[in-house]
Amino acid sequence: SVGARKCRQYGESFVYLPVLVQGQERGHVKARLRKVEGKTSYINSKSGWSANYGLFLYDYVAKNNPQTIVLVEGPRDGLRLNYLGIPAISILGTQSWSDRKSRMIELLGVSNVILCMDGDDAGLQATAMIKEKLSPLVKVSVFSLTGRDSPYWQFRHEDHPTKDAKAAG
């Protein structure tokens, strides 16, 4: 129902995920069926579309006129939440937020946005930046996965908590 289909590239299987915003395909993401150590999980189509229109599941979520949405980083996160009935939009990378994306969220007519980025360095930085940009437009809440049972808790004071936690196993 989101337009996904299987495709092959570089002799490997991927899932083609179109990014539909206001009825137009603005770009696409090819996702590996399974994560492979040392290889990127996602391949975005070329050109600069992601910074302005990289909101995967935007049209899918918009059709239900939700009052609250969840913003997540990657396509798999967005798909999982929507499957569970939670309206979620994937921002497609922590470095690609823009004023246009803020306006696109405002155009949805939602009154609440819940930020649920990854608990790594990039996710924490994206949370702060997106919250600052969206707060004048809608009510923004942050859902944190950095509770005491998270590996992040042990490494939170390190310069690079994600890398340090991974190195420690």
Side-chain angles (χ1 to χ4, degrees), residues 49-152:
W49 65 274
S50 183
N52 291 316
Y53 295 103
L55 296 169
F56 177 61
L57 299 170
Y58 183 88
D59 281 8
Y60 182 80
V61 167
K63 70 182 176 187
N64 294 314
N65 297 314
Q67 288 301 300
T68 300
I69 62 165
V70 178
L71 289 182
V72 296
E73 285 186 40
R76 285 185 184 93
D77 298 331
L79 288 167
R80 277 187 204 104
L81 290 174
N82 278 283
Y83 178 77
L84 295 170
I86 300 168
I89 295 174
S90 306
I91 67 166
L92 303 179
T94 59
Q95 301 297 315
S96 68
W97 194 260
S98 66
D99 289 339
R100 177 168 289 199
K101 282 187 177 182
S102 294
R103 288 192 300 276
M104 298 301 298
I105 297 301
E106 183 181 26
L107 285 173
L108 284 173
V110 299
S111 47
N112 302 295
V113 172
I114 300 169
L115 300 178
C116 189
M117 303 295 125
D118 295 350
D120 58 12
D121 299 333
L124 295 172
Q125 290 172 3
T127 297
M129 190 257 302
I130 295 170
K131 184 176 182 183
E132 180 183 326
K133 299 264 187 183
L134 279 180
S135 289
L137 306 173
V138 296
K139 181 181 177 215
V140 178
S141 303
V142 176
F143 183 81
S144 175
L145 296 175
T146 58
R148 293 194 185 273
D149 59 337
S150 167
Y152 176 82

